[in-house]
Amino acid sequence: MTDNDPSDIVFEDIPAGFARHTRSSPLTAPWEPLYARTTADAVILGLRVREAHTNSRGLAHGGLITALADNAMGYSCGLKLGGAARLLTASLAIDFIGSARIGQWLQIEPEVIKVGRTLCVTQCFVTADGVRCARANGTFSVVEAKA
């Protein structure tokens, strides 16, 4: 394997504790495989960046990073609410502070800041091989689960 040839990258190299993410959606299905690690406080998402995840410059697309941050933060709010409510994104902001390249492990690690009756506030850091490349924050409306 060389440092400069992305075709040599072993994509099956997934960090310990991560397993295939089981909650697929039509938006995320083309990005599979996605991985998740659930703790008592968060649902951490990750993927090995592939060409299909990139923009024309060969970097992980900002839309991909934003959507995964939204998902991870929403799942984490849901975890803290015990799965008893639906969540709708009310506000989402992201700052890109670096880049992620093909072959790097992209990890989205949320932190739930506040859980309320009607709103859940969260933030996350996104890393590429452990180096921060984005930070995001989101506010989610808490809606009663359908019967």
Side-chain angles (χ1 to χ4, degrees), residues 73-88:
M73 291 187 294
Y75 293 147
S76 295
C77 284
L79 177 72
K80 294 301 261 185
L81 287 163
R86 293 183 312 146
L87 294 155
L88 301 172

Side-chain angles (χ1 to χ4, degrees), residues 117-139:
R117 192 174 48 79
T118 59
L119 293 175
C120 183
V121 179
T122 185
Q123 66 182 1
C124 73
F125 285 106
V126 182
T127 59
D129 285 347
V131 177
R132 287 184 180 167
C133 63
R135 69 176 179 176
N137 59 69
T139 301

Side-chain angles (χ1 to χ4, degrees), residues 14-106:
I14 305 305
F18 281 86
R20 287 294 296 268
H21 185 49
T22 58
R23 191 160 175 199
S24 182
S25 74
L27 175 70
T28 61
W31 302 336
E32 293 290 345
L34 294 175
Y35 296 88
R37 180 168 51 105
T38 302
T39 69
D41 296 315
V43 177
I44 302 162
L45 296 181
L47 63 74
R48 186 69 61 190
V49 178
R50 297 177 187 249
E51 186 176 9
H53 304 135
T54 63
N55 58 27
S56 62
R57 291 175 210 79
L59 304 173
H61 194 282
L64 168 95
I65 294 170
T66 303
L68 291 177
D70 181 44
N71 281 355
M73 291 187 294
Y75 293 147
S76 295
C77 284
L79 177 72
K80 294 301 261 185
L81 287 163
R86 293 183 312 146
L87 294 155
L88 301 172
T89 306
S91 174
L92 177 65
I94 190 160
D95 297 307
F96 296 101
I97 54 179
S99 60
R101 300 185 185 288
I102 292 173
Q104 289 188 302
W105 176 254
L106 188 73

